[in-house]
Structures are given as C-alpha cells and as structure tokens.
Amino acid sequence: LKESEIIEMNEDIFISYYSRINEKPEDFVGRTIKLKGFVFKEGDFAENQLVLSRYFITHCVADASIVGFLTEFKGANQLQQDSWLEIEGVLAVGNYDGYEMPIIKVTKWKEISEPNEPYIFPIQTQVE
C-alpha cells in the first residue's frame, strides 16, 4: 500500500486498504486511487459529492454494512443512487459533518455493470 504507485482497491484487499486509509488519511494525500462501487447519496451532500460504496459482509448478508469513500466531481448529481461506477482520482483530506476523512477528487469515471460479486469480505492480511 505504501509503495504502490496507484492504489488499486481490488475486492481481495479492499477492506484492509480502506481501514488503513481511513486511520491516517494524511499519509495518502496526493496518491492516485482506483476503485469500483455503487453510488450512495445523503440529502445534505453538495452537488458534486457522492459516496462510492461497497457492502462489507463479516458473517452473512444480514450483517452487511456500507463502506466507501466520499468523492467529488462535476456531474455527481446526475448519477442515480445505486448505479455502479469505476473511478480514478487523487486522495485528499476533507471534512464532512465535523469529521476529518479521506476524499477522492475524481479525475476519471465511467458507469459499469454491477459485478457478479458486489460484496466485499474481511481478509486476514496485514497492510503495511
């Protein structure tokens, strides 16, 4: 994670990378990141904001929770809730609702079909 030129949020390492980036977002400012997920919007988001999300399952579908990154880009307001995207962008640190968090400043995006396996699961890999 620390040495890769581009952070690729593949399903097999998604939650480990996600956790590490959220722990210390300032360590990743300026890094390029790529990921796929579905659109999730809150009512108080700015026009250019959405969360690119995945369902994280620890035991079974009943315990699924949404994890994702706040993203910012022109045209975000045109996208439908639950549509799937593949994005590339640059990590920054921002503030939402009083919390400091990583924000992806999207540079490229495209709509995609929902993957065959839309869920992510925990893995036993330590990220350094």
Side-chain angles (χ1 to χ4, degrees), residues 38-84:
F38 64 89
V39 172
F40 178 78
K41 297 180 182 180
E42 289 285 344
D44 62 346
F45 281 177
E47 246 185 38
N48 68 335
Q49 293 180 324
L50 59 83
V51 173
L52 196 63
S53 310
R54 296 299 293 264
Y55 281 111
F56 174 55
I57 297 177
T58 52
H59 298 289
C60 65
V61 174
D63 73 6
S65 59
I66 292 177
V67 296
F69 291 100
L70 185 61
T71 65
E72 294 182 345
F73 61 101
K74 187 175 181 176
N77 62 328
Q78 302 298 315
L79 296 166
Q80 295 297 311
Q81 185 93 331
D82 299 322
S83 58
W84 280 79

Side-chain angles (χ1 to χ4, degrees), residues 35-37 73 79 84-88 106 108-113:
L35 65 149
K36 299 174 186 174
F73 61 101
L79 296 166
W84 280 79
L85 303 177
E86 180 176 300
I87 68 163
E88 181 176 321
V106 177
K108 297 178 190 173
W109 65 273
K110 66 180 179 179
E111 288 191 72
I112 60 171
S113 299

Side-chain angles (χ1 to χ4, degrees), residues 1-125:
L1 177 61
K2 288 181 182 178
E3 296 170 8
S4 60
E5 186 175 322
I6 297 174
I7 300 169
E8 300 229 17
M9 300 291 288
N10 298 321
E11 284 77 6
D12 58 337
I13 50 81
F14 191 101
I15 204 64
S16 292
Y17 281 14
Y18 174 81
S19 297
R20 177 67 89 184
I21 293 167
N22 274 284
E23 268 176 28
K24 293 188 76 179
E26 63 276 4
D27 288 352
F28 301 93
V29 169
R31 301 275 305 278
T32 298
I33 186 169
K34 289 183 177 182
L35 65 149
K36 299 174 186 174
F38 64 89
V39 172
F40 178 78
K41 297 180 182 180
E42 289 285 344
D44 62 346
F45 281 177
E47 246 185 38
N48 68 335
Q49 293 180 324
L50 59 83
V51 173
L52 196 63
S53 310
R54 296 299 293 264
Y55 281 111
F56 174 55
I57 297 177
T58 52
H59 298 289
C60 65
V61 174
D63 73 6
S65 59
I66 292 177
V67 296
F69 291 100
L70 185 61
T71 65
E72 294 182 345
F73 61 101
K74 187 175 181 176
N77 62 328
Q78 302 298 315
L79 296 166
Q80 295 297 311
Q81 185 93 331
D82 299 322
S83 58
W84 280 79
L85 303 177
E86 180 176 300
I87 68 163
E88 181 176 321
V90 177
L91 283 160
V93 175
N95 196 297
Y96 176 74
D97 203 23
Y99 295 98
E100 188 175 87
M101 64 177 53
I103 295 178
I104 300 173
K105 305 289 186 171
V106 177
T107 55
K108 297 178 190 173
W109 65 273
K110 66 180 179 179
E111 288 191 72
I112 60 171
S113 299
E114 181 178 328
N116 291 337
E117 181 55 74
Y119 305 106
I120 54 172
F121 303 90
I123 58 169
Q124 302 301 318
T125 302

